Amino acid sequence: MKIVYNERHAEHAAQKEFFRGQLVDAFEIPARADYVLQALQASDLGPFVPVLDHGRAPLERVHAPAYLRFVEGAYAEWQALGGQGEAFPAVWPIRSLRSDVEPKSFAARMGLYSMDSGSPLTAGTWAAAYWGAQASLTALDLVLAGERSAYCLTRPPGHHAGADFFGGYCFINNAAVAAQAAREAGRQRVAILDVDYHHGNGTQAIFYERPDVLFLSVHGDPQTEYPFFLGHADERGAGAGEGFNANFPLPAGASNEQWFDAFEQALVRLEAYAPELLIVSLGVDTYGGDPISHFKLDEPEFRRMGERLAALQRPTLFLQEGGYATAAIGRNVHAVLAGFESVP
Ligand code: OKP
Ligand code: ZN
């Protein structure tokens, strides 16, 4: 399986994040990708393919140009205002407040363009996220050119980022950018299967009213788990997209049997859709040892996940999302990809 690695991921290196209202050491750190890189280099997966710059246009097909400009320039603005260290949002235009007028205040725009305080902006955030999207597009090219699968190793992740907001460590929605690019390359039906522990609220929202990109997600129940405000089972799509969104929330602490039951239900929907391309938002924070998540998968289950995905016999693009048990991420990602490769 060809691998595309975002070599610039480490330019986004947050030291701290807000977690339950307290500043704590960041979970989404460069070492995450370093460990995956080591594990894959030591394996017989590969070869590694260099990232090609596809420019800004494919990002602007998913994200609002004003949002992209804000993220690109935000850290310089923050510094010009005397800001030091990481920049966090702290005020949001929720119910009854207006979000249709862009304020002049930097603090106000930070809130306008974000969903939480867990995602600091740093000097290299834009570069890391931009090149992550480019890596995703490069990996997509491989699958569009006939590869059975490809894996994009990148961070920060993408699935919480919406058309005009960042959050949940995510700034550019790599899965959405790839899905949109695949549509424009002529693939009629694209499916995104999100197996990260957290619901991919950004991806869901971007395609909620569209039948051409099916979104399926197995995740921790938003009643207790981040992102809290989306990801319920009754969210089935709207308008032309009605019936093309399916969520499979599971209680925190769900057993592996429960997880695979939900996963199989998602696969039934996937097969019925007969997608020309499958994009897997591959978070491995479903691992039993993950510090911020509460499922129990381990190496054999990750391998089984990969085997099941391969059995679908669809062109498959794997994009890295979460996974915070740093030292185990490489092994867990490798298990999924090696499981996939083991099925002829
Ligand atoms: C990103 B991805 C919970 C705070 C959690 C955000 C988690 C983002 C996960 N109290 N902070 O889906 O792996
Ligand atoms: Zn996650």
Side-chain angles (χ1 to χ4, degrees):
M1 184 182 306
K2 289 186 177 164
I3 299 167
V4 183
Y5 168 56
N6 172 17
E7 293 188 352
R8 296 188 62 172
H9 75 86
E11 292 179 42
H12 177 65
Q15 305 298 313
K16 296 282 180 188
E17 68 178 65
F18 279 96
F19 185 74
R20 298 175 187 143
Q22 306 276 328
L23 256 191
V24 302
D25 288 343
F27 290 99
E28 203 292 287
I29 52 173
R32 297 180 55 243
D34 299 341
Y35 274 97
V36 179
L37 182 65
Q38 277 176 30
L40 297 184
Q41 282 174 337
S43 78
D44 48 19
L45 293 164
F48 284 77
V49 174
V51 176
L52 281 179
D53 190 0
H54 295 63
R56 231 181 146 92
L59 281 56
E60 292 184 345
R61 298 289 295 137
V62 162
H63 293 286
Y67 166 70
L68 293 173
R69 279 194 299 276
F70 175 75
V71 175
E72 182 173 18
Y75 197 78
E77 268 193 73
W78 162 250
Q79 280 187 310
L81 290 167
Q84 281 166 12
E86 291 143 21
F88 290 93
V91 59
W92 291 274
I94 65 153
R95 296 173 288 284
S96 86
L97 302 179
R98 286 183 64 177
S99 52
D100 62 322
V101 195
E102 188 184 85
K104 287 205 173 67
S105 155
F106 175 74
R109 278 179 290 124
M110 280 290 274
L112 179 64
Y113 290 124
S114 69
M115 64 177 277
D116 66 25
S117 65
S119 316
L121 272 161
T122 72
T125 299
W126 169 257
Y130 176 89
W131 287 103
Q134 300 306 330
S136 304
L137 289 162
T138 305
L140 171 67
D141 288 344
L142 299 171
V143 178
L144 294 181
E147 294 286 333
R148 176 188 182 220
S149 64
Y151 167 66
C152 177
L153 170 51
T154 191
R155 55 166 292 282
H159 70 155
H160 296 301
D164 61 0
F165 60 86
F166 64 89
Y169 314 149
C170 302
F171 301 90
I172 295 179
N173 194 312
N174 300 315
V177 167
Q180 181 63 27
R183 286 287 296 115
E184 288 172 26
R187 299 303 181 275
Q188 298 296 319
R189 290 177 314 284
V190 175
I192 301 174
L193 174 62
D194 191 323
V195 297
D196 187 280
Y197 179 79
H198 305 94
H199 175 253
N201 62 283
T203 317
Q204 169 171 311
I206 287 164
F207 298 112
Y208 204 61
E209 300 192 7
R210 287 172 52 171
D212 56 332
V213 180
L214 173 70
F215 179 72
L216 304 166
S217 181
V218 180
H219 52 268
D221 189 335
Q223 298 234 28
T224 61
E225 305 309 289
Y226 187 89
F228 306 121
F229 304 108
L230 209 65
H232 299 278
D234 66 351
E235 297 156 12
R236 299 197 177 92
E242 192 164 352
F244 297 94
N245 193 93
N247 286 323
F248 301 89
L250 292 169
S255 68
N256 291 342
E257 194 186 333
Q258 283 176 294
W259 192 90
F260 275 99
D261 278 352
F263 181 66
E264 290 296 334
Q265 288 178 49
L267 296 190
V268 168
R269 297 293 298 272
L270 194 63
E271 299 225 70
Y273 188 69
E276 293 170 52
L277 172 72
L278 169 60
I279 297 175
V280 180
S281 267
L282 181 60
V284 292
D285 42 10
T286 47
Y287 169 55
D290 195 272
I292 63 169
S293 312
H294 310 282
F295 289 163
K296 297 174 178 161
L297 306 195
D298 208 334
E299 195 173 7
E301 289 77 29
F302 285 116
R303 172 167 273 275
R304 179 175 160 199
M305 186 194 305
E307 290 166 356
R308 280 299 285 129
L309 292 171
L312 301 173
Q313 304 285 348
R314 303 276 162 192
T316 303
L317 171 62
F318 290 96
L319 301 179
Q320 186 64 48
E321 302 279 3
Y324 306 98
T326 308
I329 305 172
R331 192 195 68 191
N332 292 337
V333 169
H334 175 266
V336 175
L337 304 181
F340 187 96
E341 290 287 66
S342 72
V343 176

